């Protein structure tokens, strides 16, 4: 398996108050293709900051992040937007679907930004919705879906662009137990079948149980990195 | 899909969008109506002035209009009349002799412009006969009949059949006077007609002036839609020894009024559109601030800032232009209806007529005025969209995603 992400000695310091806060502290991490990795740790340990940096949403104060050998830490904002579109899928804690679009349109949207043709968009959106067991809700708006259904649409959207990896920030935080299990099974299935690389932050034990690699953070640094 | 998202976004908050669309509709309607109303004032004034005073064009001796010296008569007027009568666009023609003088009754005296006319020709050109409010149009008085305006009659304290004396200088500079009897009193919105003109038969005036058949003025009317300036230039080219003027040259004040009204319409457009623009900006800013997280998510997923900008612009233009055509249509319908039946301002007729307006106004808007309004709406929508769109693209995806 090849290395997709290489985080090299990255630090992130916030200066929001008089005392600087080291959200990520001289952290190095490699992610291999096809991994199903959970980044865990207590609240405020830097999980979300690390995911934001890996996803090119935030820049490290020090160090660099390479994706397939490309240093994304020095990219301009406009280059990063394009890079994210082509390489990274996102799943957010609050689902963040576009409320005025249907489930299918939400999945198609990312492919539209990639300028794929209509038939390809439609076919892939339906295929992904079927994979996520939600094809029957293709024409429903997010407001007509439950939290679990919305998050499944969000995962389908993240996979739609055929990204190099998917970042999921606390994807199950707003879900009940049954929806969480369902979602995790589906994500694991996509990981198995499509070799999709998943990296998610969580402090949910059920998610940790499904992960094949668990990276534990404390005070912005890795304290353990266990592969199973 | 940006167009679809933008359209659906407009209807996310139906109440708020409908308020803006309603404001646009009412604003555009008000603008159209106000423009039509202003135009009717202008048209009424200009048409009245052309109809009863200046006509569409006039011919004089080049020196005559400087100080109304009666020796400057039109030399070859027969040729000019022949040319005008052959022209397809000239409707009617009349000739006049003119002199400035005094009119006096037994109780008052005042200065007037004495106009010698041929009643039949004059009726066709200026419809002077239609302005008779008391008495007759030169009928019933066998010798030296005169028509005067109602204001002048009041000033002189005379009635129909009263005797007045007109005093002026003849062609040799001798003071001469003639006794005239009021045949009719004219009720005109024009101040010139109602207060300072006396109409007599051209034959009577020419006899007293001792100028034979000479005339000082040829006035002509043209068919609707004629380019009066072009016609005047054409006549001028054929008769270089005389001075031919269209109504625009005869009365620059009318042209000034026309330009002023056009400027006022533009100012009105700017005022109403500015008010609407601030309403639109406020609504769109709210829409953007409510969707910070969503906009951040779009940029995080890979939507370029230019597309986010475009989406907000399109959304604003939708919001603005939905109400525009509706307001424009209602405005057009209002103008069309009132343009036929008129707006009756009889209650204010005295005041309106005192300043030269008719008491029934017929709103009218030219196609170009509608084009101006449409351009105004589009410009307003575009300009109003820039600030909210700029606010949207200034968001950082990471901050926006974490916004509450």
């Amino acid at each position: 398996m090849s290395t997709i992400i290489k985080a090299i000695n990255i630090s992130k310091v916030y200066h929001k108050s008089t005392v600087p806060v080291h959200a990520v502290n001289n952290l190095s991490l490699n992610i291999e293709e096809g991994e199903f990795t959970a980044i865990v740790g207590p609240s405020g340990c830097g999980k979300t900051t690390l995911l934001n940096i890996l996803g090119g949403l935030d820049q490290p104060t020090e160090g660099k992040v390479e994706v397939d050998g490309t240093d994304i830490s020095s990219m301009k904002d406009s280059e990063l937007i394009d890079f994210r579109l082509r390489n990274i899928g996102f799943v957010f804690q609050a689902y963040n679907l576009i409320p005025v679009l249907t489930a299918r349109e939400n999945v198609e949207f990312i492919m539209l930004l990639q300028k794929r043709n209509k038939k390809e968009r439609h076919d892939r959106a339906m295929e992904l919705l079927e994979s996520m067991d939600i094809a029957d809700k293709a024409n429903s708006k997010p407001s007509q879906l439950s939290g679990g259904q919305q998050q499944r649409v969000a995962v389908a959207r993240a996979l739609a662009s055929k990204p190099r990896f998917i970042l999921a920030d606390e994807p199950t935080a707003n879900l009940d137990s049954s929806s969480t299990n369902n979602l995790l099974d589906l994500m694991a299935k996509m990981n198995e079948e499509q070799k999709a690389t998943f990296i998610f932050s969580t402090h949910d034990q059920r998610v940790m149980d499904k992960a094949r690699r668990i990276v534990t953070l404390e005070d912005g640094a890795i304290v353990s990195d266990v592969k199973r | 899909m940006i167009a679809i998202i933008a359209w659906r976004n407009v209807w996310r908050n139906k109440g708020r969008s409908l308020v803006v669309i309603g404001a646009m509709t009412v604003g555009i309607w008000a603008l159209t109506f106000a423009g039509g109303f202003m135009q009717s004032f202008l048209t009424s004034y200009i048409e009245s002035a052309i109809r009863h005073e200046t006509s569409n064009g006039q011919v004089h001796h080049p020196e005559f209009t400087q100080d109304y010296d009666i020796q400057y008569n039109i030399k070859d007027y027969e040729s000019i009349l022949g040319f005008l009568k052959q022209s397809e666009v000239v409707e009617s023609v009349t000739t006049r002799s003119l002199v400035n003088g005094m009119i006096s009754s037994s109780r008052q005296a005042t200065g007037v412009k004495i106009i010698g006319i041929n009643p039949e020709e004059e009726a066709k050109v200026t419809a002077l006969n239609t302005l008779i409010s008391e008495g007759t149009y030169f009928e019933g008085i066998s010798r030296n009949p005169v028509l005067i305006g109602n204001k002048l009659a009041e000033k002189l304290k005379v009635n129909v059949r009263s005797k007045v004396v007109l005093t002026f200088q003849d062609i040799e500079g001798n003071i001469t006077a003639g006794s005239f009897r009021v045949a009719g009193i004219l009720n005109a919105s024009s101040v010139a007609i109602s207060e300072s003109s006396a109409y007599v038969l051209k034959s009577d005036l020419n006899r007293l002036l001792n100028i034979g058949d000479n005339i000082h003025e040829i006035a002509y009317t043209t068919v609707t839609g004629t380019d009066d300036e072009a016609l005047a230039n054409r006549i001028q080219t054929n008769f270089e020894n005389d001075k031919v003027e269209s109504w625009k040259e005869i009365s620059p004040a009318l042209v000034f009024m026309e330009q002023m009204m056009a400027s006022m319409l533009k100012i009105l457009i700017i005022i109403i559109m500015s008010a609407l623009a601030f309403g639109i900006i406020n609504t769109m800013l709210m829409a953007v601030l409510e969707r910070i997280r969503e906009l951040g998510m779009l940029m995080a997923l890979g939507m370029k800032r230019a597309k986010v900008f475009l989406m907000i612009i399109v959304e604003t233009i939708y919001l603005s232009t939905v109400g525009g055509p509706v307001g424009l249509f209602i405005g057009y319908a209002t103008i069309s209806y009132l343009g036929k039946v008129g707006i009756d301002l009889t209650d204010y007729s005295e005041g309106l007529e005192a300043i030269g307006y008719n008491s029934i106004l017929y709103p009218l808007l030219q196609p170009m005025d509608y084009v101006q309004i449409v351009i105004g709406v589009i410009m307003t929508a575009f300009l109003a969209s820039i600030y909210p769109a700029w606010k949207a693209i200034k968001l950082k995806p990471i901050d926006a995603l974490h916004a509450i």
Side-chain angles (χ1 to χ4, degrees), chain B residues 106-353:
Chain B
S106 56
R107 301 172 68 175
Q108 286 283 347
T110 186
V112 284
K113 184 176 172 183
I114 303 160
I115 306 164
I117 61 169
N118 175 323
E120 276 182 36
E121 288 177 353
E122 193 67 32
K124 287 177 188 164
V125 173
T126 61
L128 194 64
N129 55 328
T130 63
L131 300 178
I132 296 288
S133 62
E134 289 177 61
T136 62
Y137 185 60
F138 292 108
E139 290 156 8
I141 306 288
S142 56
R143 193 164 175 270
N144 287 357
V146 61
L147 304 179
I148 58 172
N150 54 343
K151 296 278 168 59
L152 184 59
E154 276 174 34
K155 193 172 182 181
L156 297 171
K157 297 185 173 63
V158 295
N159 296 309
V160 174
R161 305 194 72 80
S162 294
K163 203 165 149 186
V164 292
V165 174
L166 295 175
T167 311
F168 42 84
Q169 284 185 312
D170 67 11
I171 189 75
E172 279 136 18
N174 300 317
I175 301 291
T176 184
S179 176
F180 286 75
R181 200 171 286 278
V182 177
I185 291 174
L186 305 164
N187 186 6
S189 55
S190 158
V191 176
I193 297 172
S194 66
E195 285 185 30
S196 57
S197 297
Y199 292 87
V200 298
L201 297 177
K202 191 170 72 188
S203 53
D204 292 342
L205 183 60
N206 283 20
R207 190 182 65 246
L208 289 165
L209 289 171
N210 200 18
I211 57 170
D213 289 334
N214 289 341
I215 59 162
H216 301 113
E217 187 171 276
I218 297 171
Y220 59 87
T221 57
T222 57
V223 296
T224 309
T226 302
D227 183 344
D228 291 325
E229 282 174 295
L231 177 63
N233 288 337
R234 211 165 73 232
I235 302 168
Q236 185 69 76
T237 310
N238 284 278
F239 301 97
E240 290 177 339
N241 293 329
D242 296 297
K243 186 178 179 186
V244 186
E245 296 168 295
S246 72
W247 62 270
K248 290 186 177 181
E249 292 160 290
I250 298 163
S251 184
L254 294 178
V255 179
F256 172 71
M257 274 193 72
E258 204 176 30
Q259 289 168 345
M260 194 177 71
M261 208 59 94
S263 301
M264 283 172 68
L265 182 61
K266 283 196 180 88
I267 291 168
L268 194 67
I269 290 175
I270 290 169
I271 292 171
I272 292 181
M273 291 301 173
S274 300
L276 292 173
F278 281 106
I280 295 165
I281 289 170
N282 181 45
T283 301
M284 285 311 297
L285 265 183
M286 284 171 70
V288 166
L289 295 175
E290 277 174 4
R291 283 158 39 202
I292 282 180
R293 186 189 281 257
E294 186 181 320
L295 294 168
M297 176 272 296
L298 292 174
M299 288 187 274
L301 292 184
M303 190 169 179
K304 289 192 169 79
R305 289 182 195 276
K307 282 195 173 162
V308 174
F309 189 86
L310 182 67
M311 187 178 75
I312 302 293
I313 296 262
V314 172
E315 205 171 313
T316 315
I317 288 173
Y318 279 153
L319 189 67
S320 314
T321 51
V322 166
V326 178
L328 208 60
F329 176 74
I330 299 173
Y332 172 76
T334 309
I335 296 282
S336 299
Y337 174 73
L338 291 175
K340 281 180 193 149
V341 301
I343 301 172
D344 191 352
L345 299 174
T346 310
D347 290 348
Y348 313 100
S349 61
E350 203 170 318
L352 286 170
E353 283 170 8

Side-chain angles (χ1 to χ4, degrees), chain B residues 44-63:
Chain B
S44 159
Y45 189 85
I46 290 178
E47 280 183 354
S48 174
I50 289 176
R51 188 73 178 133
H52 299 303
E53 290 180 65
T54 64
S55 304
N56 293 87
Q58 292 181 2
V59 184
H60 299 97
H61 185 284
E63 305 288 326

Side-chain angles (χ1 to χ4, degrees), chain A residues 12 14 16 48-53 56-59 77 84 92, chain B residues 292-293 295-297 299-300 305 395-403:
Chain A
K12 181 71 185 179
Y14 292 110
K16 287 185 178 171
T48 299
T49 305
L50 176 61
L51 282 197
N52 287 339
I53 291 171
L57 291 172
D58 205 354
Q59 301 279 18
D77 186 61
R84 287 197 297 265
F92 303 99
Chain B
I292 282 180
R293 186 189 281 257
L295 294 168
M297 176 272 296
M299 288 187 274
R305 289 182 195 276
L395 295 169
K396 285 186 177 173
I398 187 163
D399 295 335
L401 280 168
H402 295 141

Side-chain angles (χ1 to χ4, degrees), chain A residues 48 52 57-58 77 81-82 84-85 90 92 94 96-102 105 109-110 112-113 157, chain B residues 1-2 4-5 8-9 12 293-294 296-305 307 397-399 401-402:
Chain A
T48 299
N52 287 339
L57 291 172
D58 205 354
D77 186 61
I81 288 180
D82 201 46
R84 287 197 297 265
L85 176 65
F90 288 92
F92 303 99
N96 285 1
L97 298 175
I98 302 170
V100 293
L101 299 183
T102 63
E105 288 169 338
F109 179 73
I110 197 89
L112 184 84
L113 295 179
R157 180 180 66 183
Chain B
M1 194 174 277
I2 283 180
I4 294 170
I5 296 175
R8 290 183 191 171
N9 278 336
R12 274 163 92 150
R293 186 189 281 257
E294 186 181 320
M297 176 272 296
L298 292 174
M299 288 187 274
L301 292 184
M303 190 169 179
K304 289 192 169 79
R305 289 182 195 276
K307 282 195 173 162
I398 187 163
D399 295 335
L401 280 168
H402 295 141

